[in-house]
Amino acid sequence: MAKAKGAIVVDTVRCKGCGVCTTVCPTKVIELAAEVNGKGYHYAYMANPDACIGCSNCGIICPDTCITVYRAKAGATA
Amino acid sequence: MSDINTIIKPENLIYKRTDVLSDNDLSYCPGCGHGTVHKLIAEVIEEMGIQDTTIGIAPVGCSVLAYNYLEIDWQQAAHGRAPALATAVKRLMPEKNVFSYQGDGDLAAIGTAETIHACNRGENIVMIFINNGIYGMTGGQMAPTTLPGMAASTCPHGRDVSHDGEPIKISEILAQLPGTCYVTRQSVHTAANVRKSKKALRKAFENQQANKGTSLVEIVSNCNSGWKMTPIKSNEWMEENMFPYYPLGDIKNQ
Ligand SMILES: Cc1ncc(C[n+]2csc(CCOP(=O)(O)OP(=O)(O)O)c2C)c(N)n1
Ligand code: SF4
Ligand code: SF4
Ligand code: SF4
Ligand SMILES: [Mg+2]
């Protein structure tokens, strides 16, 4: 299995479930949860965490700025 | 999942919410481009170190509450009057970084006179223009920017150009005026476009610091509620229908 190079943390309370982040992820990491948050939105989560490359695309596009992005330093064992 | 936990640590942080954004939840509909543009303005302000010296002018429209979302000083203008208020603020406090934030109804309908004359005078301000082709806030009425054939609540069968005229390309008109130094049209619907829009916003604020005149950054954006589409569908529709009429790129760069 591929080793993840990146990871995201979604503020699931703030997320409005718009799904825009899912369209910009080059490795199809993100999906909308079957469950809803307190506002009734299907929040985003890492459905495929091993595929994250830490590109930040999801973070920069999120209109509600609910995604924090981490990327392992090159050479570090993830 | 253990992989993930070894990656999520402070030294690996590469993107986080800027502190120039307040903690308030945005009032915008899910997926609305207004939120992405707010975030980009906040990031540019943070990166330029101008949080204490920037004054925004909020419009009337969905972004009427913009002053709740960025931790800077703000004024809120009557509908369409943001360029006039920005003129006053900048002339009284030339050391401040002053920008207006306006929708297409605000900038290109009720505020057309203020917009054209501020640009013609070459006021040393930044104007940020969110063109979603509709009056979002009031329920999706036709705007001067509504596309031919596009349905809105006041033209349910689509805009009839024989009756309503062609949509106005206000940025192209403003680029003709000698007072504008930079007029560009961007979008925030893909990651690459978000990065380009951020560069454009930064350039606009740098132009103001170099006293170059009026910089106008148009963002062609979605209004998924007004257009009655999901956020993802509205971005696709925007690409197919808005961009052919409102092509992206620099219109003027001096
Ligand atoms: C003097 C005046 N006329 C009309 C209105 C009603 N009004 C509020 S918002 C709006 C249109 C806003 O459209 P736009 O500027 O495109 O912003 P959006 O909501 O689409 O972002 C109108 C006509 C008003 N508030 N004040
Ligand atoms: S873009 Fe932001 S608000 Fe929209 S689903 Fe993704 S995390 Fe949630
Ligand atoms: S950082 Fe890039 S790869 Fe990882 S989830 Fe976000 S968009 Fe996908
Ligand atoms: S009505 Fe349209 S412009 Fe207003 S917040 Fe909703 S999607 Fe955005
Ligand atoms: Mg509008």
Side-chain angles (χ1 to χ4, degrees):
Chain A
M1 200 195 285
K3 276 213 162 136
K5 296 188 188 73
I8 63 168
V9 176
V10 179
D11 180 342
T12 55
V13 175
R14 203 186 281 281
C15 174
K16 291 179 184 163
C18 69
V20 171
C21 53
T22 66
T23 67
V24 297
C25 177
T27 54
K28 304 270 172 281
V29 171
I30 313 172
E31 288 179 17
L32 299 183
E35 300 79 38
V36 295
N37 64 13
K39 290 187 280 221
Y41 294 125
H42 295 277
Y43 54 85
Y45 78 107
M46 284 183 102
N48 189 11
D50 291 332
C52 180
I53 57 171
C55 69
S56 300
N57 282 1
C58 55
I60 64 172
I61 205 162
C62 173
D64 292 275
T65 317
C66 8
I67 302 180
T68 309
V69 185
Y70 298 85
R71 187 170 56 211
K73 302 266 180 304
T77 50
Chain B
M1 291 299 277
S2 58
D3 261 9
I4 303 309
N5 292 326
T6 60
I7 294 171
I8 297 174
K9 48 189 179 186
E11 60 268 38
N12 289 337
L13 177 70
I14 55 161
Y15 184 82
K16 77 171 192 26
R17 188 181 170 91
T18 163
D19 291 335
V20 177
L21 283 174
S22 75
D23 269 345
N24 296 327
D25 281 343
L26 302 178
S27 52
Y28 305 117
C29 306
C32 175
H34 272 302
T36 308
V37 179
H38 280 21
K39 169 239 294 282
L40 294 183
I41 300 169
E43 289 177 356
V44 166
I45 288 171
E46 177 176 52
E47 287 166 23
M48 291 178 73
I50 57 173
Q51 185 174 8
D52 295 339
T53 55
T54 299
I55 301 176
I57 313 295
V60 167
C62 280
S63 48
V64 66
L65 300 175
Y67 50 77
N68 283 335
Y69 306 134
L70 267 74
E71 299 279 10
I72 55 171
D73 287 330
W74 288 92
Q75 295 247 326
Q76 203 274 314
H79 203 3
R81 304 333 180 215
L85 188 49
T87 298
V89 171
K90 183 67 182 180
R91 287 188 179 204
L92 287 166
M93 291 180 277
E95 72 287 3
K96 301 288 188 190
N97 304 283
V98 179
F99 72 94
S100 70
Y101 185 101
Q102 304 176 256
D104 47 310
D106 193 86
L107 182 141
I110 194 168
T112 311
E114 286 76 6
T115 297
I116 287 186
H117 289 293
C119 290
N120 192 53
R121 294 190 305 268
E123 296 297 336
N124 193 26
I125 56 174
V126 174
M127 295 172 61
I128 300 165
F129 165 36
I130 311 300
N131 180 7
N132 53 20
I134 208 161
Y135 290 180
M137 184 197 203
T138 41
Q141 292 82 2
M142 178 172 57
T145 46
T146 301
L147 296 178
M150 176 177 169
S153 60
T154 46
C155 54
H157 304 296
R159 181 184 187 131
D160 173 0
V161 295
S162 70
H163 185 263
D164 308 315
E166 299 281 345
I168 193 166
K169 296 187 185 186
I170 190 87
S171 293
E172 277 81 348
I173 294 171
L174 299 173
Q176 302 300 310
L177 303 175
T180 51
C181 60
Y182 180 46
V183 179
T184 189
R185 185 183 286 123
Q186 304 290 336
S187 76
V188 293
H189 72 304
T190 72
N193 289 102
V194 169
R195 292 186 174 97
K196 277 191 202 160
S197 291
K198 185 169 168 183
K199 285 207 183 90
L201 289 165
R202 170 134 193 169
K203 186 179 178 59
F205 280 97
E206 286 172 353
N207 285 344
Q208 182 174 159
Q209 293 189 335
N211 293 313
K212 288 175 81 171
T214 314
S215 294
L216 178 87
V217 180
E218 172 178 346
I219 311 279
V220 180
S221 191
N222 58 3
C223 174
N224 42 78
S225 291
W227 300 356
K228 309 207 184 312
M229 296 172 203
T230 65
I232 293 173
K233 186 75 202 140
S234 72
N235 283 341
E236 290 167 6
W237 190 90
M238 182 171 72
E239 236 172 31
E240 284 161 26
N241 297 278
M242 296 280 278
F243 296 168
Y245 197 88
Y246 298 113
L248 303 187
D250 288 352
I251 299 166
K252 182 180 193 180
N253 186 0
Q254 289 182 342

